Amino acid sequence: MQQRVIISQDIEHDLAQAIAETEHDRVFVLTDDITQECCLPKVASLFAKHNATTITIRHDDTNKTLATLADVWTALQRGGATRHSLLVNLGGGMVTDLGGFVAATFKRGINFINIPTTLLAMVDAAVGGKTGINFGGLKNEVGAFANARYVIVNTCFLDTLDTANLCSGYAEMLKHSLISNAQMWAEHVNFDILQPDLAELQRMVAASIAVKEHIVADDPHEHGIRKALNFGHTIGHALEEFSMQQPGGAVVSARLLPLAKARTAPKNTLLHGYAVAFGLIGELYISARKAGFPTARLHQTTRFIRENYGAMAFTCDDYPTLLNLMRHDKKNTSDTINFTLLHDIGDIRINQTATDEEIREALDFIREGY
């Protein structure tokens, strides 16, 4: 089933139409405690008309677990959900990932609609049909491919975000430009994400989503070119998982550090997009070393990331742990660590490998810079 992405100018009108065009006997709304407070009021009157039942879970990726999944299944059962019911996932990537997996598995599959409320979810998590939960200390270890009937994207929700979470989502947009074309990349590395023009950002979001939609349409189950969307994620996921294992979280040192303590992120937590941004630095370095990626573009991208995302604190003593986490990546075959690399912007090389020494050099580059 193909999903339909709506770039919305009127969230109530577009959501009402999507619900009307989707089979449902009952409507359920999945939120987390943040989006219930900050985002649900924007559409609450429409859900009231449908007598919708709200299910609220705790925010933060550390709650994207089997236990939370079971809690939502239980809430659907108690609410009288059937295989003809509709689940609307209103929230960031954690909500759309987990909610999509709930919908894919409850009664062997029910319809769902995603309404992403963070920039990260708009350009990445809510689009493309990947759903899942974290398991055994690994990101998205258990999940399924399942398309939402509709994904409704409206930047009206972005006024609820702090700068750190805007930057987190923007890292996925930067990735899309790197695997797409130089004009988009140049626009992205010259955009002021710290003081964004939201109207301009909505146009850029639509273009970024189009990059992902085009790739997913060609390869819905990631047998080929969809692996391009993993650029920056082999190292990025390892850094993110490493940060989740640290007693105090991952320290991000930069002028953005106070923003990393905002209400939408626990103190010193490494947000997903920050991990991806640092992963982009490392995988661009490997691309330059092994695939001929232009060093000038490597340094320009690295400079943009350092100025807006700072740096993550880890040492060479952590390299064995990071390499082990990379070996558990779902993209791997046996113990071979698989990368997507770039010969140039938009010139993609999937199914590439790197030696442990080359990966250590990339981690050095992430830590030390130019």
Side-chain angles (χ1 to χ4, degrees), residues 154-218:
N154 191 306
T155 53
C156 71
F157 295 108
L158 296 185
D159 63 9
T160 68
L161 288 187
D162 54 72
T163 304
N165 277 276
L166 279 172
C167 286
S168 182
Y170 196 76
E172 292 284 359
M173 294 177 63
L174 181 59
K175 176 203 73 178
H176 287 160
S177 71
L178 283 163
I179 64 174
S180 180
N181 66 78
Q183 181 178 349
M184 181 182 287
W185 167 81
E187 180 178 49
H188 284 183
V189 295
N190 287 290
F191 185 72
D192 186 356
I193 189 58
L194 301 184
Q195 295 181 309
D197 178 330
L198 290 183
E200 181 70 4
L201 185 59
Q202 172 134 333
R203 181 192 62 77
M204 295 167 66
V205 165
S208 189
I209 291 172
V211 171
K212 182 169 185 178
E213 280 193 293
H214 177 72
I215 290 173
V216 170
D218 283 348

Side-chain angles (χ1 to χ4, degrees), residues 41-56:
K42 295 178 183 286
V43 286
S45 60
L46 177 61
F47 285 132
K49 293 177 184 176
H50 288 276
N51 197 27
T53 299
T54 300
I55 302 169
T56 302

Side-chain angles (χ1 to χ4, degrees), residues 55-337:
I55 302 169
T56 302
I57 59 179
R58 294 184 63 187
H59 72 279
D60 186 59
D61 204 68
T62 57
N63 294 298
K64 198 169 77 172
T65 63
L66 188 59
T68 305
L69 185 72
D71 287 343
V72 181
W73 282 333
T74 300
L76 288 171
Q77 276 189 329
R78 290 175 177 171
T82 73
R83 66 184 303 175
H84 303 289
S85 296
L86 170 64
L87 180 64
V88 180
N89 300 314
L90 177 72
M94 189 274 277
V95 170
T96 60
D97 277 358
L98 186 141
F101 192 37
V102 166
T105 50
F106 186 77
K107 303 289 187 182
R108 295 197 177 98
I110 63 174
N111 285 323
F112 67 104
I113 293 171
N114 284 338
I115 307 176
T117 59
T118 67
L119 185 57
L120 180 62
M122 289 176 186
V123 299
D124 185 48
V127 179
K130 282 188 176 181
T131 72
I133 59 170
N134 304 332
F135 185 76
L138 298 174
K139 285 277 295 178
N140 301 320
E141 181 76 350
V142 180
F145 287 99
N147 278 332
R149 289 294 299 270
Y150 292 91
V151 180
I152 305 174
V153 176
N154 191 306
T155 53
C156 71
F157 295 108
L158 296 185
D159 63 9
T160 68
L161 288 187
D162 54 72
T163 304
N165 277 276
L166 279 172
C167 286
S168 182
Y170 196 76
E172 292 284 359
M173 294 177 63
L174 181 59
K175 176 203 73 178
H176 287 160
S177 71
L178 283 163
I179 64 174
S180 180
N181 66 78
Q183 181 178 349
M184 181 182 287
W185 167 81
E187 180 178 49
H188 284 183
V189 295
N190 287 290
F191 185 72
D192 186 356
I193 189 58
L194 301 184
Q195 295 181 309
D197 178 330
L198 290 183
E200 181 70 4
L201 185 59
Q202 172 134 333
R203 181 192 62 77
M204 295 167 66
V205 165
S208 189
I209 291 172
V211 171
K212 182 169 185 178
E213 280 193 293
H214 177 72
I215 290 173
V216 170
D218 283 348
D219 180 21
H221 295 117
E222 201 171 294
H223 299 305
I225 193 59
R226 182 167 179 162
K227 295 177 183 179
L229 296 170
N230 294 322
F231 185 61
H233 283 62
T234 299
I235 293 175
H237 273 163
L239 292 172
E240 187 174 7
E241 289 157 0
F242 172 78
S243 77
M244 294 167 72
Q245 296 174 6
Q246 305 312 300
V251 176
V252 178
S253 59
R255 59 195 176 103
L256 287 182
L257 180 58
L259 296 168
K261 302 177 182 179
R263 59 170 175 77
T264 51
K267 181 178 179 179
N268 287 342
T269 292
L270 185 68
L271 297 174
H272 173 75
Y274 279 66
V276 169
F278 302 142
L280 290 175
I281 293 175
E283 294 182 31
L284 283 173
Y285 175 86
I286 297 173
S287 294
R289 196 182 189 285
K290 294 180 66 71
F293 188 84
T295 56
R297 287 176 167 175
L298 162 66
H299 289 299
Q300 188 172 353
T301 307
T302 298
R303 185 161 51 249
F304 175 85
I305 292 171
R306 291 212 175 279
E307 289 174 353
N308 290 283
Y309 296 81
M312 178 180 171
F314 62 96
T315 72
C316 56
D317 292 337
D318 299 316
Y319 289 6
T321 299
L322 290 166
L323 283 163
N324 187 54
L325 288 169
M326 289 180 217
R327 290 192 178 94
H328 283 88
D329 193 282
K330 297 182 294 300
K331 301 181 292 298
N332 295 337
T333 302
S334 187
D335 287 333
T336 302
I337 300 174

